[in-house]
Amino acid sequence: MSEPIIELRGIEKHFGPVIALAGVSLGVHPGECHCLLGDNGAGKSTFIKVMSGVHQPTKGEIRFEGAPMRFGDPREAIAAGISTVYQDLAMIPLMSVARNFFMGNEPQKRVMGIPFFDHDHANRVTMQEMARLGIRLRGPDQAVGTLSGGERQTVAIARAAYFGAKVLILDEPTSALGVRQTSNVLATIDAVRKRGVAVVFITHNVRHAHAVGDRFTVLNRGKTLGTASRGEITPEQLQDMMAGGEELAELEGSLGGTV
Amino acid sequence: MTENVDQGAHDERIKQTSKLRDWLIRPELGAACGTILVFVFFLMIARDTGMFAPDGIRNWMIVAAQFAIIATGACLLMIAGEFDLSIGSMIGFSGIVIAILSVQVGLPMWLAIIGAFVVAMAIGAFNGFLVIRTGLPSFIVTLASLYILRGLTIWLSILTTNRTIISGVGQAGEGDWLGIAFGGVAFQGLFQWFADVGILATYATGTRAGQPLVAGVPMMIIWAIVLIVFAHLLLTRTRFGNWIYAAGGNAQAARYAGVPVNRVKILMFMFTAFCATVFAAAQVMEFGSAAADRGMLKELEAIICVVIGGALLTGGYGSVVGAAMGALIFGIVQQGLYFAGAESSLFRVFLGVILLMGVILNTYIRQIITGEK
């Protein structure tokens, strides 16, 4: 396989006396979907915030495209090609789909030397991209609030890919979705990966991870428990690692293997 | 949450909506209906009172323009997700600063006016900076500014002149180019021509015999139109406008998308202060004096205009054109009640009623936009 496009080594993050991350390592290749699994409180959110430039690591090294990198804020990370889609903060419901799609990347055209928002271009591209994703809009000025949760995630992922993200970090994109919506989002992730984007897929749902993941890294109590490739590990083993093993096995026994 | 099961090519679960419904959810709807309503109403009850004669029109247009100037600033700021309760105090403050700099310090009028703009916008920026840095609601921060600025205005006025009204601004600004830009009238030649050909009535006697009753368009109205057009284009037709919507719609989501939310909000606080100072400068030049109590309650009236205009109090949605129509409604009603000989306190009753109606309508519209209805 090629060189990893982004690599994090021994990342530690302390918040005062709390050690949120105690040495996490992860590398993602272009065109790979790398799933980051972990239970609540495992440090997933802190870790992606380090990757996306929201937090600066206390210790450890980030290498992006082979060179050491330190992002001061999210804008720097976005400019470098690292985009993050947050679960609840992907889109702004009151704004139109077109305005959302181009938020922060507004196309401009000059009229008498004054730069204006190029609504024609924005509307055309939005309708085109939505058609490609199978989202039918009444028009580009339809408010995002009328889209379903799955459609919002899909649009946000498509937006990041359209604006040239090399690394796409997805923060629990499927956790609040129904079955059909989840498959749509997973299909979009697959499509984006095939275009050569490195995808980091954060989830605590092993089945969702197994559907699209190439490699799996499990976080527990701020540490990496290990990385496995697809085929080397079963969903059950992943589930056990996430929860820290034995206790869950007992629980699962009493619940008849439904967890 | 409703599941949108079918996302395929033929989606029978998306209802085709009528053009009427599309038009109904425009933010300006309520204000447009209101404008037509008050026009018809006062055409019926106050037609013979001179309300719709040229000088009558000028009177309520000036009042509407005053509301529109501050509503424009308040509108963009509210869409960006913040309030400014210090607009009224800022009007008084800027007026006193102009008067002190020109009459007391003796600066030329243009320099005094520019000085007031600089000071006001710096205070606006400070308001914004405090809101951003402390993370407190702008409601509270600017409520503090409301009192601080009003107190400072009265204190400064008494300190320099021993009274709360500073007169003599008219003489100090005589013939000053920037003074005329705020206190003068435009299109004088055109209005004189109107009078000469008989469209416009003229003074029959006195020193102004032969001159038209309405000398021209007061600069207050010109400023209102310029500000409305500028703000409307900025909001709907530029990249920055998209950032204003985004900052108010969800600041954190906007930040994650790379929108410089803090800069947008601080600039909008400065723009609001700018609008308040335009109001103050025009008023001071028109009256020839500044008073420390000017602009009382104007912040609330500006917010009411904006809300009637369809903006959501929670930010992220609204219209400058709607706010301007809200201002027009106010101008017509305030002056119309006067012309109709009604009790002027009824104006406040009207304010309250129309505010309530506006907010209820807006809540309903938002539910339609976000698909809850």
Side-chain angles (χ1 to χ4, degrees), chain B residues 235-247:
Chain B
L235 183 65
T236 58
R237 298 264 177 269
T238 69
R239 153 185 295 202
F240 193 83
N242 209 39
W243 292 353
I244 295 176
Y245 282 122

Side-chain angles (χ1 to χ4, degrees), chain B residues 228-306:
Chain B
I228 291 165
V229 170
F230 168 78
H232 176 72
L233 288 179
L234 181 75
L235 183 65
T236 58
R237 298 264 177 269
T238 69
R239 153 185 295 202
F240 193 83
N242 209 39
W243 292 353
I244 295 176
Y245 282 122
N250 187 326
Q252 199 54 33
R255 278 194 192 99
Y256 284 148
V259 174
V261 172
N262 296 353
R263 202 199 325 160
V264 170
K265 290 194 170 185
I266 289 174
L267 278 170
M268 286 305 97
F269 273 105
M270 292 172 71
F271 180 65
T272 308
F274 175 87
C275 290
T277 308
V278 170
F279 183 113
Q283 203 181 40
V284 165
M285 295 317 294
E286 190 193 332
F287 291 174
S289 68
D293 62 350
R294 293 246 173 94
M296 288 265 196
L297 289 180
K298 285 289 170 205
E299 61 284 329
L300 297 182
E301 291 167 357
I303 290 171
I304 296 174
C305 287
V306 176

Side-chain angles (χ1 to χ4, degrees), chain B residues 64-342:
Chain B
Q66 290 180 339
F67 283 123
I69 287 169
I70 47 174
T72 303
C75 180
L76 291 193
L77 183 65
M78 198 188 288
I79 296 174
E82 304 294 343
F83 279 104
D84 189 350
L85 291 183
S86 65
I87 294 175
S89 299
M90 185 69 87
I91 291 171
F93 179 78
S94 294
I96 288 293
V97 169
I98 291 172
I100 289 176
L101 289 182
S102 59
V103 178
Q104 302 297 314
V105 182
L107 292 179
M109 186 51 72
W110 61 269
L111 201 57
I113 293 175
I114 291 175
F117 272 104
V118 170
V119 175
M121 286 167 77
I123 294 171
F126 184 66
N127 272 340
F129 175 79
L130 273 183
V131 169
I132 301 288
R133 279 313 281 269
T134 59
L136 289 168
S138 48
F139 196 85
I140 293 300
V141 173
T142 58
L143 183 61
S145 317
L146 182 157
Y147 280 95
I148 294 170
L149 274 178
R150 183 64 73 190
L152 277 180
T153 306
I154 296 168
W155 178 73
L156 272 176
S157 174
I158 288 175
L159 186 76
T160 49
T161 62
N162 250 329
R163 55 183 71 180
T164 57
I165 298 176
I166 304 179
S167 51
V169 184
Q171 294 91 300
E174 198 77 65
D176 184 272
W177 61 273
L178 200 56
I180 290 170
F182 283 101
V185 290
F187 307 117
Q188 266 174 311
L190 187 68
F191 277 63
Q192 184 65 53
W193 181 77
F194 281 158
D196 293 345
V197 298
I199 304 173
L200 211 58
T202 54
Y203 288 102
T205 55
T207 51
R208 298 170 73 180
Q211 289 180 15
L213 276 177
V214 176
V217 181
M219 286 309 293
M220 185 79 95
I221 296 172
I222 304 285
W223 272 102
I225 293 169
V226 168
L227 283 172
I228 291 165
V229 170
F230 168 78
H232 176 72
L233 288 179
L234 181 75
L235 183 65
T236 58
R237 298 264 177 269
T238 69
R239 153 185 295 202
F240 193 83
N242 209 39
W243 292 353
I244 295 176
Y245 282 122
N250 187 326
Q252 199 54 33
R255 278 194 192 99
Y256 284 148
V259 174
V261 172
N262 296 353
R263 202 199 325 160
V264 170
K265 290 194 170 185
I266 289 174
L267 278 170
M268 286 305 97
F269 273 105
M270 292 172 71
F271 180 65
T272 308
F274 175 87
C275 290
T277 308
V278 170
F279 183 113
Q283 203 181 40
V284 165
M285 295 317 294
E286 190 193 332
F287 291 174
S289 68
D293 62 350
R294 293 246 173 94
M296 288 265 196
L297 289 180
K298 285 289 170 205
E299 61 284 329
L300 297 182
E301 291 167 357
I303 290 171
I304 296 174
C305 287
V306 176
V307 172
I308 291 174
L312 293 177
L313 287 162
T314 42
Y317 189 76
S319 153
V320 174
V321 175
M325 285 196 269
L328 190 57
I329 293 175
F330 274 13
I332 295 168
V333 174
Q334 194 179 17
Q335 294 298 300
L337 288 176
Y338 167 75
F339 274 107

Side-chain angles (χ1 to χ4, degrees), chain A residues 75 99 117 119 134 136 184, chain B residues 7 9 236-237 239 242 258 370:
Chain A
R75 279 180 78 88
R99 281 187 177 274
F117 189 138
H119 281 292
R136 276 171 55 93
N184 280 329
Chain B
Q7 290 175 339
T236 58
R237 298 264 177 269
R239 153 185 295 202
N242 209 39
T370 53

